[in-house]
Amino acid sequence: MDPSSKTKSTTITACGLLLLCVSFSAKLVHGGLVPALYVLGDSQADVGNNNNLPLSLARADFPCNGIDYPGQQPTGRFSNGYNFVDFLAASLGLASPPAYHSVYNTTGSYSVYLNGVNFASGGAGVFDLTNKGQCFSFDHQIERDFFSVHSELVRQLGQPQAMSHLARSIFAVAIGGNDIIDRALLPAADAELTVEATAIVSPRQFIDSLAQTLRRQLQRLYNLGMRRLFFVGAAPIGCVPLMRELSRLAVTATATATATGGCHQGANDMSAQYNTAVASLLRDMSTEHRDFQYSFFDTSTALMEYINEPEANGYDEVRAACCGLGDNNAMYRCGRVSTVCPDRTNHVFWDLVHPTETTSRKLTSVAFDGSRPLVSPINVRKLSG
């Protein structure tokens, strides 16, 4: 072989190796701002995991859900269309991660896991007893579902590469609202009921217990590779249609004030306290782990801006649900026989507790590019950088 042929052969071999490396890297990067998006939480983020729980009441895989989704088909999202995870993924340049319980036993699941997976389950709470048996609990999502994905990534990529992949990915967590709703619904006489063997004497003690449990869960995610966290704080729970209606009925029953359909102040106070507690524990985690970054979105404050100033934010209706039955469509969940508002873009809420697609889009936009005090210490765009 002449020298020129040998040089060509060497060059071709080197190029081939380079292409293999580029091809492998492309599988990890996918052209997005981050390699993958891993999602855990409750119905705000569920894209169909609960479809796999046939006996659960916490499902949304039936009309009128999905009326504005492509094909007008219900997918398991508690929305008239897309939810915040879909908008978050699009902003990151990624496809919305699929529901884990719809893909975990499929052929080629490893490549799906590289792109990101959604473990969120409608009804889930920080506490295991929140809607127990109706959902995949937050601990289940971490210790069984995500742990399985983590193990598969390690098996396929090796420990160093798997941990590098997870460290560059974003984890989105939306949890805590169902715990607050359950606590707010407790009759005053039952204020000392126990939750996971913790005596709940006051809302403040309840929030403290909630935060302690969440700290353990987030630390576990850190141990499994999470280094970039986007945490969605609790909404103003007391202002969702369900809690407004219950507040109105309580006022009517006691005849102590005029029934105005106002917000449930106790639930709103707990939402604010919970968000403060979460922000504090995230600051502690970032101090303890120098390689940990986070973006915390104060959903309660952000959504209250829409509720308090509807016209300035493009809304006509902030109290009633778009889909449901009864007064303000707040007496029964969105279902096949529900009434549906003709214009979903001017309603803050889709059903008893969930935002419309329009609201989810707006809130996600704020979280992605906003600033203090609504999103701190950095927004999601900077978190992904």
Side-chain angles (χ1 to χ4, degrees):
M1 180 182 293
D2 61 53
S4 62
S5 298
K6 184 175 182 180
T7 300
K8 289 179 182 178
S9 176
T10 302
T11 301
I12 291 172
T13 300
C15 288
L17 291 173
L18 178 61
L19 286 172
L20 286 175
C21 292
V22 169
S23 175
F24 180 73
S25 297
K27 289 182 179 180
L28 298 182
V29 175
H30 307 291
L33 296 178
V34 294
L37 174 63
Y38 297 96
V39 182
L40 303 96
D42 56 27
S43 55
Q44 302 172 75
D46 193 349
V47 295
N49 278 304
N50 280 17
N51 297 355
N52 298 279
L53 293 173
L55 299 181
S56 174
L57 297 177
R59 292 170 56 175
D61 56 336
F62 48 80
C64 299
N65 296 297
I67 191 171
D68 297 310
Y69 193 84
Q72 296 185 313
Q73 293 298 313
T75 61
R77 290 167 172 81
F78 293 78
S79 172
N80 57 300
Y82 293 113
N83 64 21
F84 92 86
V85 173
D86 300 306
F87 295 119
L88 175 63
S91 297
L92 292 169
L94 301 171
S96 189
Y100 172 73
H101 286 274
S102 297
V103 301
Y104 78 96
N105 60 352
T106 61
T107 303
S109 60
Y110 160 65
S111 61
V112 173
Y113 296 164
L114 275 178
N115 296 329
V117 193
N118 188 324
F119 307 95
S121 174
V126 173
F127 291 141
D128 263 357
L129 292 182
T130 299
N131 294 315
K132 190 174 181 64
Q134 296 293 308
C135 62
F136 299 103
S137 72
F138 193 41
D139 274 327
H140 180 111
Q141 293 173 41
I142 297 169
E143 298 294 348
R144 297 188 62 177
D145 298 343
F146 177 66
F147 182 78
S148 295
V149 169
H150 172 274
S151 299
E152 182 64 15
L153 291 174
V154 169
R155 188 178 74 84
Q156 293 286 346
L157 298 175
Q159 180 78 13
Q161 184 66 43
M163 293 301 283
S164 175
H165 170 74
L166 292 171
R168 291 182 291 116
S169 300
I170 283 183
F171 287 69
V173 172
I175 199 76
N178 289 314
D179 302 280
I180 294 171
I181 289 176
D182 284 0
R183 178 62 183 82
L185 293 180
L186 285 177
D190 292 333
E192 294 188 12
L193 288 178
T194 59
V195 177
E196 296 195 324
T198 301
I200 305 305
V201 179
S202 70
R204 179 70 264 176
Q205 289 175 309
F206 168 77
I207 295 299
D208 288 344
S209 179
L210 205 61
Q212 290 172 11
T213 304
L214 181 64
R215 183 184 297 272
R216 168 184 61 78
Q217 293 162 330
L218 294 182
Q219 179 61 47
R220 178 58 171 158
L221 283 174
Y222 175 86
N223 294 342
L224 291 172
M226 178 188 72
R227 293 299 183 269
R228 301 185 190 189
L229 170 65
F230 169 47
F231 196 99
V232 181
I237 297 298
C239 291
V240 302
L242 170 66
M243 298 306 294
R244 278 185 185 270
E245 183 63 17
L246 292 176
S247 181
R248 182 186 70 82
L249 293 174
V251 168
T252 302
T254 58
T256 58
T258 302
T260 61
C263 299
H264 187 295
Q265 193 56 49
N268 273 359
D269 289 344
M270 282 191 285
S271 294
Q273 291 169 9
Y274 175 71
N275 287 347
T276 298
V278 173
S280 177
L281 79 85
L282 291 176
R283 285 194 298 270
D284 290 345
M285 282 188 67
S286 66
T287 299
E288 182 180 354
H289 305 295
R290 294 296 183 180
D291 58 348
F292 172 71
Q293 295 179 286
Y294 72 93
S295 177
F296 173 76
F297 184 46
D298 186 353
T299 314
S300 182
T301 300
L303 192 53
M304 282 306 297
E305 290 186 3
Y306 301 164
I307 292 171
N308 290 333
E309 300 180 20
E311 291 184 5
N313 290 284
Y315 293 104
D316 292 332
E317 179 56 67
V318 301
R319 296 188 177 198
C322 176
C323 181
L325 289 173
D327 292 343
N328 289 323
N329 274 344
M331 301 294 288
Y332 194 72
R333 65 176 181 164
C334 180
R336 295 178 179 85
V337 297
S338 299
T339 59
V340 180
C341 63
D343 186 356
R344 272 79 70 183
T345 64
N346 64 13
H347 277 58
V348 169
F349 295 103
W350 163 242
D351 61 12
L352 294 174
V353 297
H354 302 101
T356 56
E357 177 186 87
T358 293
T359 303
S360 293
R361 180 190 294 108
K362 290 181 178 181
L363 291 174
T364 307
S365 178
V366 174
F368 198 81
D369 284 311
S371 58
R372 294 176 183 270
L374 298 182
V375 54
S376 61
I378 57 176
N379 58 36
V380 180
R381 183 182 295 279
K382 291 181 179 178
L383 181 68
S384 65

